[in-house]
Amino acid sequence: VRLAESGGGLVQAGGSLRLSCVVSGTPFRAYGMGWFRQAPGKDREFVASLARIGGNRVSTDYADSVKGRFTISGDSDKNTVILQMDSLKPDDEGIYYCAAGRLVRLRETSAYTFWGQGTRVTVSS
């Protein structure tokens, strides 16, 4: 399984970015998928997750700090997980990582087996 993130960059506060995570080697729906971020000097923190919970039903979860501003979704045709980030704040800066893992406890880094290399997000105030 390989994960490749893209879409990071520099944006002004209040702006938007769309991060993509292309999954290779397996359908992403076979795993719980998550986005994490890491700012300089800080631990990697949970941002959002997506997991299939039966049939075509999907469960999503968000950190309180991004709820209402970020949206995680999946594109099965492209085998890609997307993180739409709106109303960005300077506190959203960091390297954003896509991860694939088991289907439970997706707020924890230990739930994930596979990680991408990350994409950097910079928000200017």
Side-chain angles (χ1 to χ4, degrees):
V1 177
R2 297 182 65 181
L3 309 176
E5 304 97 332
S6 63
L10 172 64
V11 64
Q12 287 189 328
S16 298
L17 283 174
R18 183 179 176 90
L19 305 185
S20 294
C21 172
V22 178
V23 181
S24 303
T26 184
F28 77 82
R29 290 188 180 274
Y31 288 86
M33 299 297 301
W35 284 96
F36 287 74
R37 67 188 181 192
Q38 188 165 19
K42 295 187 177 181
D43 293 335
R44 194 168 296 190
E45 65 173 358
F46 169 76
V47 175
S49 67
L50 179 151
R52 191 174 67 176
I53 57 174
N56 290 323
R57 294 182 299 158
V58 174
S59 172
T60 58
D61 187 24
Y62 299 92
D64 288 345
S65 60
V66 307
K67 199 170 293 183
R69 300 188 296 121
F70 290 12
T71 304
I72 188 171
S73 62
D75 184 333
S76 295
D77 291 341
K78 297 180 180 178
N79 211 29
T80 298
V81 178
I82 296 161
L83 184 67
Q84 177 67 40
M85 306 188 297
D86 299 318
S87 302
L88 282 161
K89 306 175 181 180
D91 285 349
D92 293 320
E93 281 195 349
I95 299 175
Y96 281 68
Y97 297 91
C98 176
R102 62 190 186 197
L103 296 173
V104 295
R105 305 180 74 172
L106 292 174
R107 288 182 171 230
E108 303 174 14
T109 56
S110 60
Y112 297 88
T113 304
F114 305 101
W115 292 84
Q117 292 300 307
T119 184
R120 184 178 297 275
V121 171
T122 304
V123 183
S124 63
S125 56

